[in-house]
């Protein structure tokens, strides 16, 4: 049958069924990204085969030399990838055969593509976990530096995006450091759990050859060989954990990205973003758009999408390997690329951004942000039950609102019209500076707390 016409499906398919099969089956288009890991795994395997006497040292040497040549061809861009050879594993082995002949055929002794792909993919994901941890560290340092610079700058704290109470800029920055520290520990935790070697599980049942799985595990810097061969070839938890750690981290990034979008608007003017991370408009000359923040905000879509996609692929798969699992890689590759990009872009934005101290303070002082301080004063000074103080303060806010002033601008006489016992010392608690300074409870926003936390984080990072 001709390759340019498909009898089964008619003219709509330009290619014959073999080409369609090749197109759906081949993974070389994407799994070539694991070439270095594939070659590393093969080198460890060959060395072990020689060490236990399954292949000769001469063959092992030829295999090692050949694999190094293949690696340099791939890295140098001269390697001819073949879709007919399906995947990176077959491509590498076929080229090895071209280069060294017969010994190449001995490499696959006591191994299958099933344990091979699980090993390669684990090595790849493990590298990405390390890269994510590094990227998170860099972003944490950028946030800590911002906190250090503005430990006592006052800004509005929000709930429901309504002014709630004054907080410090440093405290707000350190909130993200906490989130990122959890993200980092999630990756570290997942990395510890995943660090077992599938190599030597063979197709699914193990092998009759007297292999040394400890040796290959060690060579590939795994903590130990995976204990059950069936699980070893069918486990993709490590990829799912990577994606879920990445999703939570990307969710955190999206929250700060959203704050940057709001804060950089003409209505807020809390921060000025650097030109390096903004763009202009082709029609509106005044515009400076926070594109990088918007794109970071959007990245969670594809990263969490990958998480859902792979979870759905794995759901209901019987043990052990099924070809469905080949669909794991593109999701993880894309999520990893975009997480690293988002972390790097966010680190750049946080490093470059300038907080507009005056605008932050002005916003903090509006919206009756010290109403809670006033209620607390009534409790502390007049011995009022908090519920009553809440009510009295509500009346004072209503009075200020009707006069179109903020709480510190009410006169003592006006205040006493609401409650006769209020005295001059109330004004001490109505400024935003005094408000934040008073919040010294553990974890509170007081500048002295922020400074102590900055010091702690600088020691840790
Ligand atoms: N390309 C395959 C994958 O990515 C490699 C494993 C093939 N194994 C098999 N039994 N066909 O999953």
């Amino acid at each position: 049958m001709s390759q340019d016409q498909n009898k089964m499906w008619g003219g709509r398919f330009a290619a014959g069924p073999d080409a369609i099969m090749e197109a759906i089956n081949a993974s070389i288009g994407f799994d070539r990204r694991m070439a270095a890991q594939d070659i590393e795994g093969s080198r460890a395997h060959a060395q072990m085969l020689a060490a236990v006497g399954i292949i000769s040292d001469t063959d092992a040497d030829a295999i090692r030399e050949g694999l190094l040549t293949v690696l340099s061809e791939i890295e140098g861009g001269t390697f001819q990838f073949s879709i007919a050879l399906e995947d990176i594993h077959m491509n590498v082995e076929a080229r090895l055969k071209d280069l060294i002949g017969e010994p190449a055929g001995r490499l696959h002794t006591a191994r299958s593509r099933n344990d091979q792909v699980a090993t390669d993919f684990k090595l790849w994901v493990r590298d990405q976990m390390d890269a994510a941890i590094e990227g998170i560290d860099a972003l944490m340092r950028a946030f800590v530096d911002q906190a250090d610079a503005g430990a006592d700058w006052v800004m509005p704290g929000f709930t429901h995006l309504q002014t709630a109470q004054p907080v410090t800029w440093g405290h707000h920055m350190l909130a993200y450091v906490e989130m990122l520290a959890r993200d980092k520990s999630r990756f570290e935790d997942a990395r510890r759990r995943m660090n077992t070697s599938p190599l030597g599980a063979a197709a699914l049942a193990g092998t009759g050859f007297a292999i040394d799985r400890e040796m290959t595990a060690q060579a590939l810097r795994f903590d130990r060989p995976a204990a059950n061969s069936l699980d070893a070839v069918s486990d993709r938890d490590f990829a799912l954990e990577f994606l879920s750690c990445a999703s939570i981290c990307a969710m955190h990034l999206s929250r700060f990205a959203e704050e940057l979008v709001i804060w950089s608007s003409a209505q807020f003017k809390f921060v000025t973003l650097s030109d390096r991370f903004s763009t202009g408009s082709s029609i509106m000359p005044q515009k400076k758009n926070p594109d990088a923040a918007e794109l970071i905000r959007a990245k969670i879509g594809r990263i969490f999408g990958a998480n859902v996609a792979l979870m759905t692929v794995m759901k209901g798969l019987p043990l052990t390997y099924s070809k469905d699992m080949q669909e794991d890689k593109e999701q993880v590759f894309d999520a990893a690329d975009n997480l690293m990009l988002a972390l790097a872009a966010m680190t750049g934005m946080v490093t470059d951004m300038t907080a507009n101290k005056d605008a932050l303070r002005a916003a903090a002082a509006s919206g009756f942000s010290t109403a809670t301080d006033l209620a607390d004063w009534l409790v502390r000074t007049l011995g009022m039950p908090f519920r009553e103080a809440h009510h009295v303060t509500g009346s004072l806010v209503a009075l200020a609102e009707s006069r179109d002033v903020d709480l510190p601008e009410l006169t003592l006489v006006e205040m006493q019209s609401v409650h006769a016992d209020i005295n001059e010392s109330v004004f001490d608690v109505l400024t935003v500076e005094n408000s934040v300074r008073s919040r010294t409870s553990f974890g509170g926003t007081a500048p002295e707390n922020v400074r102590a936390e900055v010091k702690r984080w600088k020691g840790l990072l």
Side-chain angles (χ1 to χ4, degrees):
M1 180 176 129
S2 103
Q3 283 295 303
D4 52 48
Q5 213 198 4
N6 184 304
K7 293 247 165 69
M8 274 190 293
W9 322 115
R12 207 169 157 271
F13 286 83
D18 291 354
I20 291 172
M21 179 56 198
E22 201 169 74
I24 194 170
N25 196 40
S27 54
I28 189 61
F30 48 88
D31 66 14
R32 62 175 72 179
R33 286 189 70 171
M34 305 193 306
Q37 288 77 11
D38 191 67
I39 288 167
E40 196 188 354
S42 288
R43 286 180 57 196
H45 186 66
Q47 198 180 7
M48 179 277 292
L49 290 177
V52 299
I54 295 173
I55 64 171
S56 70
D57 287 342
T58 326
D59 285 348
D61 287 348
I63 290 170
R64 192 192 60 240
E65 290 307 312
L67 286 171
L68 289 175
T69 305
V70 175
L71 182 62
S72 69
E73 287 177 357
I74 292 174
E75 284 174 346
T78 59
F79 190 93
Q80 290 292 318
F81 290 101
S82 156
I83 187 168
L85 290 167
E86 251 187 75
D87 57 24
I88 186 63
H89 324 293
M90 304 295 271
N91 269 268
V92 168
E93 197 181 315
R95 179 62 186 142
L96 185 66
K97 180 121 192 299
D98 293 346
L99 289 167
I100 67 167
E102 195 244 33
R106 300 184 188 279
L107 171 61
H108 214 54
T109 315
R111 185 179 80 169
S112 144
R113 267 193 296 164
N114 297 347
D115 58 337
Q116 192 179 354
V117 72
T119 303
D120 295 1
F121 196 30
K122 265 196 172 181
L123 292 174
W124 197 91
V125 169
R126 194 178 67 185
D127 283 350
Q128 295 301 308
M129 287 179 169
D130 291 339
I133 289 165
E134 228 176 88
I136 291 170
D137 259 334
L139 180 53
M140 285 170 79
R141 279 193 291 272
F143 272 117
V144 170
D145 286 344
Q146 282 286 349
D148 195 14
D152 59 0
W153 300 348
V154 185
M155 66 179 282
F158 298 95
T159 60
H160 314 264
L161 198 56
Q162 308 289 318
T163 300
Q165 293 174 354
V167 295
T168 48
W169 170 261
H171 201 50
H172 198 113
M173 296 298 110
L174 290 179
Y176 282 96
V177 175
E178 293 289 334
M179 293 176 229
L180 290 164
R182 289 194 296 274
D183 292 334
K184 181 179 159 185
S185 82
R186 259 185 288 275
F187 277 115
E188 289 167 342
D189 186 40
R191 190 195 193 286
R192 259 193 302 280
R193 197 166 21 257
M194 66 94 83
N195 205 26
T196 62
S197 172
L199 197 55
L204 76 163
T207 174
F209 289 100
I211 57 171
D212 185 348
R213 292 193 57 206
E214 287 286 349
M215 187 179 165
T216 45
Q218 248 182 44
L220 299 171
R221 300 173 308 286
F222 286 113
D223 297 330
R224 59 189 167 276
N228 181 300
S229 62
L230 302 174
D231 177 51
V233 296
S234 66
D235 164 36
R236 291 295 180 274
D237 291 3
F238 60 96
L240 288 167
E241 284 203 54
F242 174 79
L243 292 174
S244 71
C245 295
S247 296
I248 298 175
C249 181
M251 175 275 288
H252 288 148
L253 298 185
S254 82
R255 295 184 73 173
F256 191 63
E258 166 71 355
E259 296 203 305
L260 285 182
V261 171
I262 295 172
W263 291 357
S264 63
S265 69
Q267 289 69 26
F268 271 75
K269 291 200 190 78
F270 282 9
V271 294
T272 306
L273 300 176
S274 76
D275 291 350
R276 298 202 307 149
F277 291 97
S278 311
T279 60
S281 157
S282 55
I283 179 170
M284 297 164 284
Q286 86 284 9
K287 289 286 284 276
K288 183 168 154 187
N289 296 325
D291 293 40
E294 294 166 272
L295 288 163
I296 293 168
R297 185 173 59 184
K299 289 297 183 195
I300 177 68
R302 60 204 293 166
I303 294 173
F304 189 59
N307 195 357
V308 174
L310 184 55
M311 192 65 95
T312 313
V313 166
M314 295 306 295
K315 176 201 165 293
L317 279 190
L319 298 186
T320 53
Y321 178 86
S322 295
K323 198 62 175 263
D324 309 51
M325 289 158 72
Q326 180 168 284
E327 292 282 315
D328 54 4
K329 286 165 220 65
E330 284 169 292
Q331 300 298 338
V332 173
F333 291 167
D334 185 74
D337 289 345
N338 283 286
L339 179 69
M340 303 314 155
L341 190 55
L343 281 168
M346 188 57 101
T347 303
M349 295 189 88
V350 172
T351 304
D352 281 13
M353 71 185 180
T354 315
N356 301 326
K357 218 180 137 183
D358 296 341
L360 287 171
R361 197 212 173 271
S366 73
F368 313 105
S369 65
T370 51
T372 314
D373 300 83
L374 175 51
D376 288 349
W377 182 90
L378 294 169
V379 169
R380 245 190 342 262
T381 314
L382 304 184
M384 221 178 255
F386 183 78
R387 280 291 158 230
E388 190 189 336
H390 185 282
H391 186 80
V392 170
T393 306
S395 306
L396 286 162
V397 168
L399 178 65
E401 204 161 26
S402 73
R403 300 265 196 290
D404 201 21
V405 295
D406 225 296
L407 286 173
E409 285 121 38
L410 285 175
T411 64
L412 185 57
V413 175
E414 283 172 325
M415 292 214 189
Q416 286 168 341
S417 74
V418 173
H419 198 285
D421 296 344
I422 296 178
N423 62 52
E424 197 63 43
S425 79
V426 73
F427 290 101
D428 293 343
V429 302
L430 296 183
T431 69
V432 291
E433 282 76 15
N434 285 344
S435 171
V436 296
R437 214 174 291 140
S438 74
R439 299 281 195 277
T440 52
S441 60
F442 183 82
T445 195
E448 63 179 271
N449 287 13
V450 173
R451 288 195 186 96
E453 281 294 287
V454 164
K455 204 169 148 208
R456 182 172 76 83
W457 281 117
K458 285 199 164 175
L460 288 170
L461 294 165

